[in-house]
Amino acid sequence: RNPRNLAALWNKMANPASAMQMSHGMQHTKLRIAGVPEHFNTPWHIAKEKGLFAAAGVDVEWTDYPGGTGAMTKALNDNEVDVALLLTEGAVKDIASGGTHRIVAVYVQSPLCWGVHTGATQAAVQDVKDLDGKAWAVSRMTSGSHLMAVVLAQQQGWDHAALKYEIVNNLAGAKEALTADPPTANGFLWEKFTTKPLVDSGDLRRVGEINTPWPCFVVSARQEFLAEKERFSGALATVLAIVKQECAKLKAKSDAAALIAARYKLQEEDVTEWLKTIEWSCATSRDDEMLTKVGETLKELAILPAIPTPESLWHAL
């Protein structure tokens, strides 16, 4: 026998993880995953950087989508990505409107705290109520920033059908619209810790907050991708199990706030505050009550013509 082959065999026996990687080396399953470039997704990046996905035989190709949920549902429907971490209301809206993907897990169980923002120099806007009848910056129509503007209007008792919108694509576009002279938009909803640096810098002013009345992020995957159970949905289940472990480890780390703050250019004290509220989940069991509540709200706001059934929105891994 070739001594080199014997040495390789010995190494495999001595290192099972390495053996698994070698045995799967040629058959790694590729997953194209999309997410927003925000602190919520830190566990995915840590897992990828540690090589945990690769060790499990999965090649995770991550793409940041600053445009948010609307941009990611389009990417799913256009077969540009296989899996996306979406705002729950955006995922439900897109699937119920013919989107070719299905929810497979709740990623973040806690609600999202949206900041209600305006340009710092917009003196006419001092409170949320001052935004009635004003123009809203949205990343794109049916995005979270759009859907939550409608939810806010309902909560405030405004005529949500009369809301006006300025499409700004992303956070940078919103800053431009709100701070232009004259401004092209007056209000803007975005996750409050993500926008905090722009509030601290004096570009934007936060005049209020609104929480989503349901878990904020879900994992959704293309149906075509899910149909190949042996290969693809099995790989996705493996990846979610790895991420769930990394979420728990990150939350338990004493320096978690410092790590996240450095990665996303946030203030450490803001991240410390956020970590008290975040509840990562990765639960793959279907929550019918939650899905029905989202559907009922979207129908009530005339965003959907009918309430979708939980079965039509979900795929069991």
Side-chain angles (χ1 to χ4, degrees):
R1 285 191 174 212
N2 185 324
R4 281 186 185 173
N5 291 346
L6 287 171
L9 182 64
W10 172 254
N11 284 338
K12 275 192 186 185
M13 290 166 64
N15 187 348
S18 166
M20 182 179 74
Q21 211 166 339
M22 286 172 77
S23 64
H24 288 89
M26 299 307 289
Q27 301 119 355
H28 268 214
T29 302
K30 182 177 171 182
L31 293 193
R32 300 171 300 165
I33 302 184
V36 288
E38 294 177 12
H39 40 295
F40 293 92
N41 293 329
T42 308
W44 290 81
H45 298 294
I46 291 174
K48 185 170 166 61
E49 287 157 17
K50 281 183 178 177
L52 301 179
F53 301 139
V58 186
D59 174 17
V60 168
E61 185 183 280
W62 179 277
T63 305
D64 277 335
Y65 275 78
T69 290
M72 289 187 286
T73 54
K74 185 178 186 305
L76 280 169
N77 295 327
D78 291 348
N79 189 14
E80 289 170 9
V81 298
D82 303 309
V83 180
L85 309 178
L86 306 172
L87 289 170
T88 306
E89 58 275 16
V92 170
K93 159 70 175 77
D94 194 70
I95 295 168
S97 304
T100 55
H101 54 100
R102 294 295 178 267
I103 300 168
V104 295
V106 169
Y107 174 47
V108 178
Q109 181 64 37
S110 45
L112 191 75
C113 184
W114 295 80
V116 185
H117 306 87
T118 190
T121 58
Q122 295 200 38
V125 182
Q126 295 298 325
D127 191 89
V128 174
K129 66 178 186 298
D130 298 328
L131 288 162
D132 185 8
K134 299 289 196 295
W136 289 85
V138 298
S139 54
R140 63 175 63 213
M141 298 306 284
T142 76
S143 66
S145 51
H146 167 223
L147 300 180
M148 287 306 294
V150 180
V151 172
L152 177 68
Q154 182 206 34
Q155 285 189 5
Q156 293 289 321
W158 306 337
D159 177 5
H160 56 78
L163 292 178
K164 300 189 285 283
Y165 303 105
E166 173 76 13
I167 297 171
V168 297
N169 299 315
N170 50 36
L171 182 52
K175 175 192 166 187
E176 200 176 311
L178 294 168
T179 58
D181 185 16
T184 55
N186 313 106
F188 175 61
L189 285 157
W190 208 257
E191 197 272 331
K192 76 167 189 178
F193 291 107
T194 306
T195 53
K196 182 76 168 22
L198 288 175
V199 173
D200 291 342
S201 67
D203 291 294
L204 304 185
R205 198 157 27 83
R206 191 166 66 236
V207 294
E209 293 175 5
I210 177 174
N211 284 320
T212 49
W214 42 69
C216 61
F217 283 107
V218 293
V219 182
S220 203
R222 288 191 309 112
Q223 284 176 288
E224 203 180 323
F225 166 91
L226 291 168
E228 287 197 52
K229 184 160 182 64
E230 294 276 317
R231 187 171 169 209
F232 290 127
S233 55
L236 180 53
T238 298
V239 161
L240 286 172
I242 290 169
V243 171
K244 184 172 186 172
Q245 285 186 327
E246 286 309 303
C247 291
K249 286 179 188 171
L250 181 61
K251 191 121 198 215
K253 279 176 80 74
S254 59
D255 61 346
L259 287 171
I260 297 168
R263 186 181 284 267
Y264 291 100
K265 296 182 173 59
L266 301 170
Q267 295 297 321
E268 198 174 320
E269 59 267 27
D270 292 336
V271 180
T272 301
E273 199 59 38
W274 171 75
L275 280 167
K276 292 175 189 170
T277 67
I278 179 76
E279 189 187 332
W280 283 294
S281 166
C282 297
T284 53
S285 52
R286 195 178 76 208
D287 183 344
D288 288 4
E289 189 181 339
M290 179 272 284
L291 292 169
T292 301
K293 182 177 184 179
V294 177
E296 284 173 349
T297 304
L298 295 179
K299 180 180 184 296
E300 191 182 333
L301 298 173
I303 291 166
L304 287 177
I307 302 167
T309 63
E311 296 80 10
S312 69
L313 300 168
W314 193 275
H315 178 100
L317 284 179

